[in-house]
Amino acid sequence: MKCIVDYVEEIKKKHNSNNPFEICKLLDIDVIYINLPKKVKGFYVKFFDSQFIYINCDIEEQEKKYVCAHELGHALFHAEINSIFIKDKTLVNSAKLENEADLFAACLLLNDDMFDYEKTGFTTIDQIALFSGVEKRLVQMKIDRAM
Ligand SMILES: [Zn+2]
């Protein structure tokens, strides 16, 4: 499998965007907002040749963006596995898949500029997380893998 970090950079360049909603549109992946139980933030489904990302309509805008990016990661890297089933099936190495989708989201949502002290003046993960609206956990992930 292609390195996720490099792949995300290709996607950003190709579509001239790091907005997961725009990229879904360009890739013909339907994003649908629906009522879901509180603990389910979203999931990805492939149905024949159509791909769908469902997002819990009650979560905050910033979190919707993360969920969309995470599910887009599943759509691109785990296209044949419907993510709603991942958590229930111990057959699949679910932790690995979830990590890959999170790494994808972290790299998509956080541009390298964000880590450039000269440009941003940010010196801590907290500052970057607060400014970008991306969870600290993901900021750390990007630092560990891409820097
Ligand atoms: Zn997932």
Side-chain angles (χ1 to χ4, degrees):
M1 185 168 62
K2 216 174 204 174
C3 166
I4 289 178
V5 177
D6 293 342
Y7 188 64
V8 174
E9 289 314 310
E10 276 177 35
I11 289 178
K12 283 185 190 176
K13 264 195 205 117
K14 188 174 168 192
H15 301 298
N16 198 23
S17 172
N18 77 332
N19 180 320
F21 301 108
E22 279 176 28
I23 295 170
C24 282
K25 205 168 197 178
L26 292 165
L27 296 177
D28 215 13
I29 299 170
D30 280 329
V31 178
I32 298 157
Y33 300 95
I34 52 166
N35 279 303
L36 288 169
K38 226 177 189 151
K39 64 174 188 172
V40 183
K41 291 177 177 170
F43 57 91
Y44 157 74
V45 173
K46 184 168 183 191
F47 187 69
F48 293 98
D49 284 332
S50 301
Q51 292 177 293
F52 304 92
I53 289 173
Y54 289 86
I55 299 176
N56 188 326
C57 59
D58 291 325
I59 60 178
E60 304 238 0
E61 288 310 310
Q62 198 63 45
E63 195 165 22
K64 281 180 186 150
K65 198 170 178 185
Y66 156 69
V67 172
C68 186
H70 175 100
E71 300 305 334
L72 178 59
H74 282 310
L76 294 170
F77 287 94
H78 319 127
E80 302 306 322
I81 303 165
N82 290 329
S83 76
I84 186 103
F85 300 119
I86 290 176
K87 288 183 186 74
D88 303 325
K89 295 252 161 91
T90 45
L91 286 174
V92 186
N93 185 346
S94 66
K96 181 172 174 279
L97 299 181
E98 289 313 306
N99 265 326
E100 286 175 354
D102 269 346
L103 179 62
F104 177 87
C107 293
L108 186 69
L109 299 175
L110 295 160
N111 283 323
D112 288 342
D113 283 5
M114 202 73 84
F115 298 89
D116 187 340
Y117 172 75
E118 303 277 309
K119 286 182 187 159
T120 64
F122 297 152
T123 52
T124 66
I125 290 176
D126 290 271
Q127 287 174 323
I128 294 170
L130 197 67
F131 181 80
S132 64
V134 174
E135 277 178 62
K136 274 199 272 184
R137 180 176 67 85
L138 295 179
V139 176
Q140 187 63 56
M141 204 172 205
K142 160 106 180 168
I143 290 171
D144 292 344
R145 294 295 296 272
M147 292 282 124

